[in-house]
Amino acid sequence: FTSSYILIINHTINFLLLYFNYYSKMPTIDLSNITDFVVNEGHGVKGLSEIGLQKLPKQYIQPIEERITTNTVILDDQIPIIDMSNWDIHNKFVSEKICNAAEKWGFFQIINHDISLEVLESVKDATYRFFKQPAVEKNKHSKENSSTNNVRYGTSFTPKAEKALEWKDYLSLFYVSDEEAAALWPCALRDEALEFMRNSEIVMKKLLQALMKGLNVKEIDESVLMGSKRINVNYYPKCPNPELTVGVGRHSDVSTLTILLQDNIGGLYVKKLDSDMWVHVPPIHGALVINIGDALQIMSNGRYKSIEHRVIANGNNNRISVPIFVNPKPSDVIGPLKEVLESGEEPIYKQVLYSDYVKHFFRKAHDGKDTVDFAKIN
């Protein structure tokens, strides 16, 4: 009896020591002011999630009108799913489906796009690998610490401009060259992110070829349509009270096109055109989500639609996504394409310097489609 009793005591002591060592390493924060912990120290919302919060911090509670409810979701509708496997044989048929989706939804999913599952799974694994790093490693790439504006780790969208923060961490990588990426992108995901970008380029060209043909544009200027690229990796940690906040607020992208790889968790919602209702974009294994950006809406004079979308928070699972934004060059001036206006159609948008448009987008909180008004002719 005595030896068994001593054994139980030893096990209990060892457990308590492990418990103490683990939790003594956990950061402590003042929830009344979480900016230092989340933003300045680089822990992000991943750090908040991992300290075992039972209640959502007030800084993340969104106004009621910014939350999705069952009353604002359409359950029996979905964005188009387009099979790219017969592109060479049935080019006209596939192209028409792409243009139709761009006009009526602004979003669609593509399957059989020839980007291998190995490439897609590798970049998802690399995303988790980056975010599993200690805060001190990730924070080397924050706005205050990064050696370049082309590599940026952060949280929420624009914390200094937001009344309520978003439940998301991200790493944003602006592509200049393979050489710069090799020198400056974090090694935890550099190779996988570059491989995903390289493989997506031919898909983007096919999509833009179809979309330009639908606008009667015969000579495609790739340097304007896809003169610059940015890849983001997003991390949405498990969230207490997910119904009170958002992963990403209402917005449309400023890109020409966005190609999005999402995991199997789900949570992306798209606003249905001419409606206040939202449609979930269900994950499809191996599929990619494509959406029209503001730049293409402007260049098409409103024919192709960049649509509001948002991401909900999740109370049970961590979620990741990897979008690639294909954009005009910052120095490009964009406006309705001349071919679109040849029939006498009046321009809705003025000519704007793309870098000015992007700066306008990033200096404020997410606000739906308000950014595109910056380019409208008054």
Side-chain angles (χ1 to χ4, degrees):
F1 173 79
T2 304
S3 61
S4 297
Y5 186 68
I6 291 172
L7 187 62
I8 292 170
I9 291 174
N10 285 337
H11 279 310
T12 303
I13 290 172
N14 288 335
F15 173 78
L16 290 172
L17 285 171
L18 287 171
Y19 183 89
F20 174 78
N21 286 334
Y22 177 78
Y23 281 99
S24 64
K25 294 175 183 177
M26 294 292 284
T28 57
I29 63 170
D30 175 9
L31 289 181
S32 65
N33 182 7
I34 62 175
T35 303
D36 278 346
F37 179 82
V38 174
V39 180
N40 299 337
E41 296 176 17
H43 292 280
V45 288
K46 183 175 185 290
L48 279 181
S49 177
E50 290 176 348
I51 63 174
L53 290 177
Q54 300 300 307
K55 184 179 178 182
L56 186 74
K58 64 180 182 181
Q59 294 90 338
Y60 289 89
I61 297 177
Q62 295 283 334
I64 293 175
E65 62 271 16
E66 295 301 329
R67 307 175 202 166
I68 284 187
T69 68
T70 54
N71 294 329
T72 58
V73 173
I74 302 174
L75 297 176
D76 59 350
D77 210 345
Q78 68 174 14
I79 67 171
I81 300 169
I82 300 175
D83 189 342
M84 301 280 283
S85 60
N86 293 319
W87 179 270
D88 295 327
I89 302 172
H90 301 297
N91 180 293
K92 185 175 184 295
F93 175 71
V94 177
S95 295
E96 286 176 353
K97 292 186 75 172
I98 290 168
C99 293
N100 188 58
E103 290 181 38
K104 296 182 178 178
W105 279 97
F107 266 81
F108 51 96
Q109 297 204 65
I110 57 173
I111 57 174
N112 299 320
H113 42 66
D114 286 341
I115 301 179
S116 72
L117 283 174
E118 181 183 2
V119 169
L120 302 183
E121 293 303 316
S122 292
V123 75
K124 286 193 283 188
D125 290 343
T127 298
Y128 274 111
R129 187 162 61 242
F130 173 81
F131 285 105
K132 282 180 181 177
Q133 295 180 114
V136 66
E137 284 297 316
K138 292 180 288 189
N139 208 32
K140 290 177 181 177
H141 307 290
S142 68
K143 181 178 181 179
E144 292 73 22
N145 300 321
S146 181
S147 60
T148 171
N149 287 330
N150 294 339
V151 179
R152 181 66 48 80
Y153 164 71
T155 187
S156 194
F157 179 61
T158 51
K160 292 182 179 178
E162 292 167 319
K163 293 179 181 178
L165 299 173
E166 299 176 349
W167 195 261
K168 181 192 82 167
D169 299 330
Y170 68 88
L171 177 73
S172 182
L173 304 166
F174 185 83
Y175 178 80
V176 174
S177 66
D178 284 2
E179 292 73 24
E180 180 180 285
L184 299 176
W185 288 17
C187 61
L189 49 58
R190 176 186 58 229
D191 294 343
E192 293 82 1
L194 282 171
E195 190 66 14
F196 181 36
M197 285 189 69
R198 291 189 194 105
N199 279 264
S200 72
E201 187 164 342
I202 189 168
V203 176
M204 284 296 191
K205 287 181 178 179
K206 283 184 175 182
L207 293 171
L208 287 170
Q209 178 187 24
L211 290 163
M212 289 301 103
K213 187 175 181 181
L215 298 175
N216 296 316
V217 175
K218 295 178 176 58
E219 292 187 18
I220 298 174
D221 189 347
E222 288 184 2
S223 68
V224 173
L225 293 171
M226 50 190 303
S228 68
K229 301 183 189 71
R230 181 185 297 275
I231 182 169
N232 278 20
V233 291
N234 300 322
Y235 189 90
Y236 305 90
K238 186 168 65 173
C239 177
N241 311 118
E243 71 283 357
L244 299 180
T245 190
V246 295
V248 176
R250 300 177 300 112
H251 72 288
S252 58
D253 294 343
V254 294
S255 57
T256 303
L257 285 180
T258 301
I259 182 169
L260 172 73
L261 172 64
Q262 59 174 344
D263 64 12
N264 64 342
I265 302 301
L268 171 63
Y269 284 80
V270 171
K271 193 173 185 180
K272 190 168 184 180
L273 192 63
D274 301 324
S275 166
D276 290 326
M277 303 296 285
W278 295 82
V279 177
H280 185 231
V281 182
I284 298 174
H285 186 58
L288 293 167
V289 181
I290 308 296
N291 66 277
I292 307 300
D294 290 353
L296 188 51
Q297 176 169 319
I298 291 167
M299 287 188 273
S300 69
N301 203 37
R303 178 172 171 182
Y304 299 143
K305 309 296 191 301
S306 65
I307 298 294
E308 284 184 53
H309 50 287
R310 67 205 312 189
V311 175
I312 63 169
N314 192 300
N316 300 309
N317 299 286
N318 302 319
R319 177 182 182 268
I320 60 166
S321 67
V322 185
I324 298 174
F325 305 99
V326 176
N327 317 296
K329 296 188 298 296
S331 58
D332 284 332
V333 174
I334 62 170
L337 297 167
K338 68 179 188 304
E339 291 89 346
V340 177
L341 303 179
E342 281 177 350
S343 63
E345 183 177 321
E346 289 295 321
I348 300 172
Y349 303 101
K350 58 190 175 184
Q351 303 288 318
V352 294
L353 181 65
Y354 186 66
S355 61
D356 287 345
Y357 189 86
V358 172
K359 287 174 186 175
H360 177 70
F361 176 74
F362 280 103
R363 69 168 58 105
K364 56 188 176 58
H366 281 141
D367 54 7
K369 285 278 293 177
D370 287 356
T371 302
V372 80
D373 289 339
F374 180 78
K376 276 189 175 178
I377 296 174
N378 295 325

